[in-house]
Structure formats: C-alpha cells, structure tokens
Amino acid sequence: MRRASEATKEKFIVAAIRELNESGISGFSVRHIAEICGVSYGAPYKHYKGKHDLLRAVIDYVNKQWFRTRDAVLDRCGSNPRRALIECATACIRFLCTHPEYQAVFLLGGPKDAEKTMYRGRLVFLVQAQLDRYFSSVSYDETERQKKTFLVRSLVCGAAQMLAAGELPSSEETVQMVHKCLEREFDLV
C-alpha cells in the first residue's frame, strides 16, 4: 500500500510540474492536476493539504534531483574550491538543460517572504554556498566578493531565465558557454 501511495504522490508531482510549465503559477490548480491524473477532484487532498503543500512537494522533488547531481559534482571536485564553484554552477545549467521541465519550478514566482524565496531558490543558494567556500580560500575584499557573487549568480539566473524563455538552446553548447564564462571570471584572481 505504501508503494502505491508513493507512486500516486509522484504521479501528482509530475502532473503538477507539467501544469506549472503549461499554466504557470497563476494558472496552477489542484483540481486541474486531478483531472490530468484521471482521478476525482478530492484525490490529491488525500496526499496534500492544498495547493501550497503540493507546490512544496514539487520543489522538494526537483531539489532532490538537484542534490544528487550536485553531490556527484562536488565528489569529483575534491578539495578544490575554485573547481567546485565552477563545476557546481555549470552543473546547475546542465541540470536545467537536461530537465527543461524543471525550469518552471526553478523560476517560480510568488510571495516575497524569505522562507519561500530560500526554499524555491535552492539551486542558486547552493551555488552561493560554493562561492562562500571559494571566498574562504582566497583573499578578496568585500567589494570584489560582491562583484564575483553578482557575476556568478547573474550568469546562472540569467541563463536559467533565457533557457526557460527559449532564448538559449538546451544544449551542451549552452552549458559550455556558461562554463567558459565562469572559467574566465575565476582566472582573473
């Protein structure tokens, strides 16, 4: 029974991701997700308290996928903070190219409270964690730290938005372009 319940939850999450891509956050409807899944309108509420609970489950699902990717990248980088930063930021873009269906989740809008922003923005904040690790290994003044933070986060967020808008192709060429920009920026130490 537990497996069936987990499979049903995943079915709702996958349908919710599809709904976010097709209708955005403003058109997101638990009722429509039930319809997509071919179940009664009340069925999702057996697993989720409501729209926000389902959205949180979607974000958790995508973040778990990202964590696996990120952890594998960091394992390959060993103790080199520069390499970890560049490879983690590059992996973020590769993740979005490989999983275009997650782009809408990554770019969720909505209430501007800190908890929700932190929760939905884990991809960028995990890149920030690598920036912080890198900064602890070099001697930059605060102005230079802000500049590097701005450049990396702008590059990652900008590429993510351009991918979602179809302005950049979801391709290895895009990933390599981002990688080269990061390499160049951190060669200027």
Side-chain angles (χ1 to χ4, degrees):
M1 183 69 171
R2 181 155 165 72
R3 279 193 189 152
S5 178
E6 292 302 315
T8 301
K9 284 182 176 183
E10 186 167 359
K11 184 177 179 180
F12 290 138
I13 288 169
V14 170
I17 291 169
R18 185 171 129 203
E19 176 76 358
L20 284 168
N21 279 292
E22 292 175 4
S23 304
I25 191 74
S26 62
F28 187 82
S29 157
V30 175
R31 185 180 185 105
H32 190 243
I33 290 163
E35 188 178 307
I36 291 168
C37 293
V39 298
S40 72
Y41 296 136
Y45 295 100
K46 292 178 184 172
H47 303 279
Y48 305 101
K49 293 175 187 171
K51 176 180 177 175
H52 295 289
D53 195 34
L54 179 54
L55 282 171
R56 186 173 295 265
V58 166
I59 293 166
D60 279 342
Y61 180 86
V62 172
N63 282 336
K64 284 177 188 173
Q65 308 299 317
W66 165 243
F67 292 152
R68 280 196 289 270
T69 300
R70 182 227 37 202
D71 290 348
V73 167
L74 292 178
D75 285 347
R76 287 192 308 269
C77 292
S79 62
N80 184 330
R82 178 188 176 277
R83 183 169 176 228
L85 167 60
I86 292 168
E87 296 304 325
C88 191
T90 302
C92 182
I93 300 306
R94 182 174 282 118
F95 179 79
L96 293 172
C97 285
T98 305
H99 303 286
E101 69 277 14
Y102 296 162
Q103 292 170 8
V105 176
F106 179 60
L107 298 171
L108 276 176
K112 299 291 183 204
D113 68 64
E115 187 253 330
K116 287 184 179 141
T117 301
M118 287 289 290
Y119 195 74
R120 72 174 174 260
R122 283 192 181 168
L123 290 172
V124 171
F125 287 104
L126 289 171
V127 171
Q128 182 64 45
Q130 297 313 308
L131 269 165
D132 293 341
R133 182 175 165 219
Y134 173 74
F135 291 148
S136 71
S137 73
V138 294
S139 55
Y140 283 150
D141 64 24
E142 187 57 31
T143 302
E144 191 64 20
R145 285 177 184 235
Q146 287 176 341
K147 176 185 163 202
K148 296 287 189 192
T149 299
F150 170 77
L151 289 168
V152 170
R153 289 184 61 183
S154 295
L155 184 60
V156 171
C157 290
Q161 288 180 336
M162 291 177 77
L163 285 165
E167 296 169 349
L168 280 176
S170 289
S171 67
E172 188 57 28
E173 289 80 21
T174 296
V175 172
Q176 289 308 310
M177 177 182 66
V178 170
H179 185 82
K180 286 176 185 173
C181 289
L182 290 163
E183 284 280 351
R184 186 183 65 232
E185 183 59 36
F186 286 93
D187 281 343
L188 306 175
V189 177

